[in-house]
Amino acid sequence: IVKDKKELLKEVISNASTECDIVLVLAGSSAGRDDYTSTIIEELGEVLFHGIAIKPGKPAVLGSVGNVPVVGLPGYPVSAIIIMEEIVKPLVDLYYQRPFEEEAIVTAVLGKRVVSSLKYQEYVRVTLGKVGDTLTAIPLNRGAGIITSFTKADGILVVPQDSEGFEM
């Protein structure tokens, strides 16, 4: 744990990049006025991207210091989990030359309409249940700070970036 002081963070990230295979900065990536993660990565190395078109998880930062990946994870728990699954896990698999895991995919009928923006690929947590022989997916609350949406979820519905959502 490091205080949100630029010079302290810079020293810790610099040291970690010489000692570790990957550096994760938790709650250091946001739109806040004291967000130093991308600036520090740029000063020490290279920022590959800051902000991605996924929701939740948009403010993530990915860069490198030397040949060490540095990822700035958003502070909201659901955003951080999505970035860990979608960015960090594949990065670690690539580093260790492990095959990428195939995701389990099921077909279900939506129990409620899902509306989305064209701006993002959205990850909507859902619960699954059987109604007769039909598997039904019910979207859960979509807030980035609602960690219980993961504990209650049976799966994730991915809404593509170019889609306004799905009808029932």
Side-chain angles (χ1 to χ4, degrees), residues 40-91:
I40 291 169
I41 294 170
E42 189 159 354
E43 289 175 6
L44 295 173
E46 178 183 11
V47 171
L48 301 172
F49 64 77
H50 183 196
I52 53 179
I54 67 171
K55 186 177 179 181
K58 180 186 177 298
V61 179
L62 178 63
S64 62
V65 175
N67 62 355
V68 175
V70 181
V71 181
L73 298 163
Y76 283 115
V78 176
S79 297
I81 291 169
I82 295 294
I83 296 304
M84 288 295 291
E85 283 292 320
E86 297 300 314
I87 304 293
V88 176
K89 186 176 181 303
L91 191 61

Side-chain angles (χ1 to χ4, degrees), residues 13-28:
I13 291 170
S14 178
N15 290 341
S17 70
T18 64
E19 300 170 0
C20 303
D21 296 327
I22 187 171
V23 177
L24 304 177
V25 181
L26 179 60

Side-chain angles (χ1 to χ4, degrees), residues 27-45:
S29 174
S30 71
R33 67 177 168 79
D34 293 332
D35 177 11
Y36 302 117
T37 306
S38 65
T39 304
I40 291 169
I41 294 170
E42 189 159 354
E43 289 175 6
L44 295 173

